[in-house]
Amino acid sequence: TDDKMKGNSTILVTGGAGYVGSHTVVELLNNNYSVIAIDNLVNCYSNGQNEKPESLKRVEKITGETVTFYNVDIRDREALDKIFKLHKIDSVIHFAALKAVGESVQIPLTYYQNNIAGSSTLFEVMAKNGVKSLVFSSSATVYGNPQFLPITEEHPTGQGCTNPYGKTKYFVEEILKDVCASDADWKVVLLRYFNPVGAHESGLIGEDPSGVPNNLMPYISQVAVGRREKLTVFGSDYRTPDGTGVRDYIHISDLAVGHLKALEKMLDPSFASWKAYNLGTGRGYSVLEMVKAFAEASGKQIKYELAARREGDVAACYADATLAKNELNWTATRDIKDMCKDTWKWQKTNPKGFQKS
Ligand code: NAD
Ligand code: WQD
């Protein structure tokens, strides 16, 4: 069938053991792709340096397929080169990065080294081995403080990136544009994620933040499960309907499918150079709307207190997702109820994440 033709290629997935990576690997395997996952285990749980990360063991359980895994750092040129020599890789999906906004302000050089130097090393090894097709995990953070809503791909980038993490996304986008300009063989899709949340419907994989969660959804679900006492709502005086921040939350499995659509797009003979796509639902929800939806999905009361704004936060941010719909044939199919229900299933069956379950 047509669907069978689409897969059948081998995808190298960097950061494949992480949150977005593991969910994308599920969709790849379910659609006939072979996957080589690499990860340096800096932000995922493994039972030992030589063990496959727990997330990927669960992926194998969900799909009944095997994931080839290497504990490799994207900054390790020789180790990367070996992998490209050992496997016939058709395309790369590049997730590996550090992603904590607050931490990036404290240790900017670590972020620039890991996310920028690491990415450019990966691109060099790819080019050397003749692999010039890439999907990059970018972020709505490249748009900075929105000048208009909903945000289209035409919105200026780089201007309002206030933290080093956000700048690494913007800089890597710019590096890739230069690479494409220098060599017509390169094909690059920049996927600008809005706010990924939720978990695989099986409850076997999900987001597993270490320490106190920085992001809203993991925090709410840890309150629901009794690991945290109450949510602190950062700001209730924004110019939004209820005064709290508004974001475009997108189910992780929808986001994952977006990567397969991007791979298919690059096979299109008319696709050349690079193209950026927003991955979001196009609809914003406030912090208090999320709290309410999660309380309904979990049957738990979510205690919260209103507090001051968090530095660097914007009032509202949501996507115009029309371009992805028209050009990638992709659209989000799961709503806020699904996002909360699936997060809760993952949280409740794995209260301490991957480590102690
Ligand atoms: P994650 O931390 O769960 O996954 C990233 C993985 O990369 C981790 O398993 C980590 O161990 C690995 N990694 C980090 N540095 C590495 C290196 N030098 N070499 C090899 N592996 C390395 O994060 P995630 O939420 O899955 O994010 C995936 C990508 O999507 C990142 O690039 C992130 O910046 C981007 N992104 C995430 C969000 C979000 O809210 N989750 C939003 C927009 C963009
Ligand atoms: C969402 C809303 C908070 C926590 C971040 C990165 C962005 C991207 C996605 C990677 C905001 C409020 C949060 C809490 C709260 N990541 N909130 N109490 O800030 O939109 O985006 O993750 O690229 O770059 O900046 O997501 O989940 O942190 O916050 O009230 O304890 O929830 O103020 O309005 P954000 P978030």
Side-chain angles (χ1 to χ4, degrees):
T1 70
D2 234 26
D3 273 355
K4 270 228 145 75
M5 296 293 294
K6 285 177 187 160
N8 278 327
S9 50
T10 300
I11 312 300
L12 178 78
V13 181
T14 76
Y19 174 47
V20 189
S22 57
H23 288 81
T24 302
V25 172
V26 167
E27 302 301 327
L28 287 168
L29 294 174
N30 282 342
N31 286 278
N32 256 354
Y33 290 91
S34 300
V35 172
I36 316 285
I38 68 170
D39 202 293
N40 69 350
L41 311 183
V42 68
N43 198 33
C44 65
Y45 178 71
S46 174
N47 217 353
Q49 285 296 306
N50 297 314
E51 279 264 338
K52 203 172 268 183
E54 184 61 26
S55 57
L56 292 178
K57 291 185 182 169
R58 302 281 185 90
V59 166
E60 293 180 333
K61 208 173 199 174
I62 293 169
T63 61
E65 304 278 340
T66 310
V67 184
T68 306
F69 172 75
Y70 296 100
N71 177 353
V72 157
D73 192 302
I74 53 165
R75 292 166 296 175
D76 186 341
R77 187 182 304 272
E78 283 71 39
L80 276 182
D81 194 59
K82 266 190 201 153
I83 294 169
F84 278 90
K85 299 253 151 35
L86 204 58
H87 302 275
K88 201 202 126 320
I89 291 161
D90 296 291
S91 235
V92 175
I93 306 181
H94 177 33
F95 295 110
L98 298 173
K99 64 159 182 179
V101 171
E103 184 186 64
S104 79
V105 177
Q106 305 303 317
I107 49 170
L109 290 174
T110 304
Y111 272 68
Y112 290 131
Q113 168 65 19
N114 195 78
N115 295 4
I116 301 181
S119 294
S120 86
T121 302
L122 170 70
F123 307 154
E124 279 186 290
V125 175
M126 287 175 66
K128 187 180 159 208
N129 287 280
V131 179
K132 297 182 177 179
S133 149
L134 177 93
V135 179
F136 176 61
S137 291
S138 190
S139 169
T141 193
V142 301
Y143 296 123
N145 198 351
Q147 295 171 11
F148 55 84
L149 289 168
I151 303 177
T152 65
E153 290 81 356
E154 253 87 76
H155 187 288
T157 58
Q159 295 178 0
C161 288
T162 53
N163 61 82
Y165 165 74
K167 287 180 194 167
T168 70
K169 291 290 154 191
Y170 169 66
F171 290 152
V172 173
E173 282 201 359
E174 294 300 301
I175 289 170
L176 285 167
K177 292 175 192 175
D178 290 340
V179 169
C180 287
S182 75
D183 178 349
D185 290 344
W186 275 88
K187 290 174 195 281
V188 173
V189 172
L190 310 172
L191 294 179
R192 296 179 179 150
Y193 312 159
F194 281 67
N195 289 55
V197 298
H200 189 263
E201 60 176 4
S202 64
L204 284 169
I205 55 172
E207 191 169 8
D208 183 21
S210 53
V212 183
N214 300 310
N215 299 111
L216 179 66
M217 231 357 197
Y219 205 106
I220 291 180
S221 71
Q222 290 194 8
V223 172
V225 85
R227 265 178 84 177
R228 315 256 162 220
E229 198 214 327
K230 59 173 184 277
L231 172 74
T232 305
V233 177
F234 298 140
S236 53
D237 58 349
Y238 285 111
R239 284 203 196 177
T240 58
D242 66 19
T244 66
V246 167
R247 297 291 183 275
D248 186 340
Y249 297 94
I250 164 122
H251 194 292
I252 189 72
S253 295
D254 282 332
L255 190 80
V257 170
H259 295 75
L260 276 68
K261 298 292 187 182
L263 289 174
E264 286 171 27
K265 179 76 185 170
M266 291 190 297
L267 292 178
D268 190 331
S270 69
F271 186 93
S273 194
W274 66 272
K275 192 96 202 220
Y277 295 99
N278 288 338
L279 294 184
T281 63
R283 182 179 186 321
Y285 284 88
S286 75
V287 174
L288 293 181
E289 284 177 312
M290 293 304 283
V291 167
K292 184 160 178 277
F294 203 91
E296 276 163 14
S298 63
K300 301 280 176 189
Q301 204 201 330
I302 314 291
K303 261 179 85 177
Y304 68 86
E305 70 179 359
L306 303 179
R309 295 180 179 188
R310 181 172 65 181
E311 206 184 312
D313 273 0
V314 303
C317 174
Y318 48 93
D320 181 330
T322 315
L323 196 66
K325 184 169 195 272
N326 291 346
E327 295 193 7
L328 298 182
N329 190 24
W330 174 90
T331 180
T333 62
R334 295 161 179 91
D335 64 13
I336 212 77
K337 274 190 181 165
D338 301 314
M339 300 180 210
C340 293
K341 169 175 68 70
D342 293 338
T343 302
W344 180 234
K345 183 170 184 181
W346 154 251
Q347 182 71 70
K348 153 177 104 200
T349 46
N350 304 270
K352 300 244 165 94
F354 287 116
Q355 187 159 1
K356 292 227 182 85
S357 41

